[in-house]
Amino acid sequence: MIKLGVIADDFTGATDIASFMVNAGWKVVLFNGVPAEAFDQEGIDAVVIALKSRSILTKTAVEQSLSASNWLKSQGCKRQLFKYCSTFDSTKEGNIGPVTDALMKNLDAPITLICPAVPDNGRTILQGHLFVKGQLLNQSGMEHHPVTPMRESSLKKLMEAQSTGRCEVIDLDTIKNHVEDIPDALAKLAEEKIKYVICDVLDNNDLLTVARETADYALITGAAGIGYAIAALDTMHKSADKPAFAISKEGASIVLSGSCSSMTNQQVNFYQQRASSLALDVEKILHEPTYLQTVTGWVVTQKNDALAPMVYATQPPQIIEIIQKNYGAEFVSEKIESFFATLAHNLSKEGFNKFIVAGGETSGAVSQGLNIKGMVIGDAVAPGVPWTQVLDEEKWVILKSGNFGNSDFFLKAQESVK
């Protein structure tokens, strides 16, 4: 029986948590969207369903998430995890709160955990505030995110602004020094009708504590860290072989970057000094029908380069703000995503079979363009960013959240290709 069913609100988040659970020793299957039928569960510990629900209409996000939840229940899965970004990408009009409330109702869960902490990636929680590599969330660069600008670091304030219940924090002193008090603290919060519990987390030991003390929750929410902790608790006294696969040198590789995060900007700047690169012209994407053919042709001419060519829409925040002001943020995002989807489809037909993709929305678009239904999770290039092999195909994909990896990530990813 499946031990945990994960509902992820974007494609990079799905591969992120799947990779963490694989590293903890679990065997994981990832599906893009809700499967149309049952599957062979033999030997599978967790199933991850990747949705594209982070920035869509709330009603649609709730409907998609409930569909995934019901499918998992139909497969005998009794515990679920709603996976969102470790930077809690959701403004007060966002979908994390409404989806959490809907899933709680669907699973008869009176209380749940809010845990975006991923210490391995510098995401920690202190006094209920989310930090990114030591900086408060709203001072980390995420305040400039083009779709979900994060201008608040208090998870309590963020959650209560978009949900229907109250939220409270269990502080770091209790988590680290008074573990025996946690069950009573959780019981007291439940009696007070608190719906959402935040636990301070500074390291992986804290995550293990939180996972252990909330093991009876039918629903938990958070990022890849809590998924790792749940799997690690299960495999702590077992030996498990991590699945692996070889990535063939046959075919060609391409780097596609649509994220505008500060880290992806660094990665693009680093890589473009070492490999052929093409910055997309947003004006041409919007107004020039033949531009897609032009870009496809440019990539194909670089097909035999030692390093994969890169096509990117990554721009500094000030440039993005100007473009969005002129045309509207949602319109521009949809056009760029559609462009990347069709570009990936075209390149696949031209013999490209290794796709290194940066950005949640871009990853979703490329996955749709390649018609990926499911993936096998392989080794990680960086924490939470694995190579994956498309089910039943000689095709390999990396779907990277914008903030993940170091500046040399695109280069490092290609070292795995044999």
Side-chain angles (χ1 to χ4, degrees):
M1 183 178 294
I2 302 168
K3 299 170 185 174
L4 184 67
V6 179
I7 302 166
D9 70 355
D10 80 339
F11 288 87
T12 59
T15 55
D16 176 19
I17 194 167
S19 176
F20 268 77
M21 292 189 296
V22 165
N23 287 341
W26 269 7
K27 290 182 171 56
V28 182
V29 171
L30 187 155
F31 293 106
N32 286 338
V34 181
E37 54 191 25
F39 74 107
D40 183 3
Q41 299 182 17
E42 182 69 29
I44 301 302
D45 297 295
V47 171
V48 180
I49 297 176
L51 302 178
K52 191 174 179 292
S53 58
R54 178 172 300 170
S55 304
I56 62 176
L57 289 174
T58 298
K59 182 176 181 292
T60 306
V62 167
E63 290 172 350
Q64 290 183 7
S65 302
L66 287 175
S67 176
S69 179
N70 288 329
W71 185 86
L72 288 167
K73 286 201 295 185
S74 75
Q75 303 304 302
C77 179
K78 297 185 181 302
R79 194 175 192 216
Q80 297 181 16
L81 189 158
F82 171 37
K83 198 281 178 190
Y84 43 78
C85 188
S86 61
T87 47
F88 205 84
D89 293 6
S90 184
T91 61
K92 65 181 180 179
E93 296 84 15
N95 292 337
I96 292 178
V99 169
T100 297
D101 287 342
L103 292 175
M104 290 178 75
K105 183 177 180 181
N106 196 46
L107 298 173
D108 295 320
I111 190 168
T112 193
L113 176 70
I114 307 296
C115 189
V118 187
D120 285 353
N121 284 331
R123 275 62 164 169
T124 55
I125 304 170
L126 184 60
Q127 296 180 351
H129 287 259
L130 185 55
F131 287 77
V132 177
K133 296 184 177 179
Q135 300 293 318
L136 284 166
L137 175 64
N138 59 327
Q139 298 173 11
S140 66
M142 285 301 297
E143 67 270 29
H144 301 303
H145 193 286
V147 180
T148 54
M150 303 309 298
R151 301 191 175 108
E152 175 60 67
S153 65
S154 167
L155 289 170
K156 175 179 169 66
K157 290 181 179 178
L158 285 167
M159 193 64 189
E160 289 184 344
Q162 57 181 274
S163 60
T164 60
R166 291 182 296 149
C167 188
E168 288 297 342
V169 179
I170 295 181
D171 63 30
L172 190 66
D173 181 53
T174 303
I175 297 295
K176 283 194 174 295
N177 304 316
H178 303 284
V179 176
E180 70 280 0
D181 293 338
I182 296 176
D184 288 341
L186 291 174
K188 186 172 185 294
L189 293 178
E191 289 174 3
E192 295 173 353
K193 305 299 182 185
I194 298 300
K195 288 185 68 174
Y196 324 108
V197 180
I198 300 163
C199 294
D200 283 350
V201 170
L202 286 190
D203 55 38
N204 285 333
N205 283 333
D206 299 336
L207 273 179
L208 289 171
T209 297
V210 173
R212 186 181 298 112
E213 298 301 326
T214 58
D216 62 342
Y217 281 19
L219 174 74
I220 51 177
T221 82
I226 194 65
Y228 172 85
I230 292 169
L233 287 177
D234 182 62
T235 61
M236 197 166 284
H237 304 295
K238 304 175 185 176
S239 61
D241 296 325
K242 291 192 297 183
F245 49 72
I247 306 171
S248 173
K249 280 187 176 181
E250 298 298 321
S253 303
I254 179 67
V255 176
L256 301 174
S257 178
S259 168
C260 294
S261 72
S262 57
M263 178 50 70
T264 303
N265 269 282
Q266 292 178 43
Q267 291 161 347
V268 166
N269 291 337
F270 180 93
Y271 193 72
Q272 68 181 353
Q273 297 174 41
R274 293 161 174 81
S276 300
S277 61
L278 177 66
L280 291 176
D281 187 323
V282 177
E283 293 282 349
K284 290 184 178 180
I285 289 175
L286 299 179
H287 302 300
E288 192 174 301
T290 61
Y291 187 54
L292 180 63
Q293 182 179 350
T294 300
V295 174
T296 301
W298 178 86
V299 175
V300 171
T301 63
Q302 321 299 319
K303 187 175 183 179
N304 297 318
D305 286 3
L307 290 175
M310 174 175 65
V311 176
Y312 65 98
T314 301
Q315 298 287 351
Q318 59 270 26
I319 301 299
I320 293 296
E321 289 175 7
I322 292 172
I323 294 171
Q324 290 180 338
K325 185 177 180 180
N326 289 339
Y327 297 103
E330 187 173 339
F331 176 76
V332 172
S333 294
E334 287 178 355
K335 290 295 185 181
I336 293 175
E337 287 173 38
S338 177
F339 187 92
F340 273 119
T342 310
L343 177 62
H345 176 77
N346 289 352
L347 293 177
S348 179
K349 292 196 295 185
E350 293 288 346
F352 286 81
N353 63 350
K354 292 172 284 289
F355 294 78
I356 302 167
V357 189
E361 302 301 319
T362 308
S363 293
V366 169
S367 295
Q368 291 175 342
L370 297 176
N371 195 29
I372 297 174
K373 302 299 184 185
M375 295 177 282
V376 178
I377 308 301
D379 292 333
V381 178
V385 193
W387 272 106
T388 70
Q389 183 171 4
V390 180
L391 285 176
D392 304 320
E393 291 189 53
E394 291 293 298
K395 191 175 292 177
W396 296 267
V397 181
I398 287 179
L399 305 175
K400 186 190 83 71
S401 178
N403 287 302
F404 284 8
N406 295 321
S407 59
D408 63 347
F409 178 85
F410 297 142
L411 200 60
K412 189 176 180 182
Q414 295 174 64
E415 294 173 359
S416 306
V417 179
K418 300 172 184 177

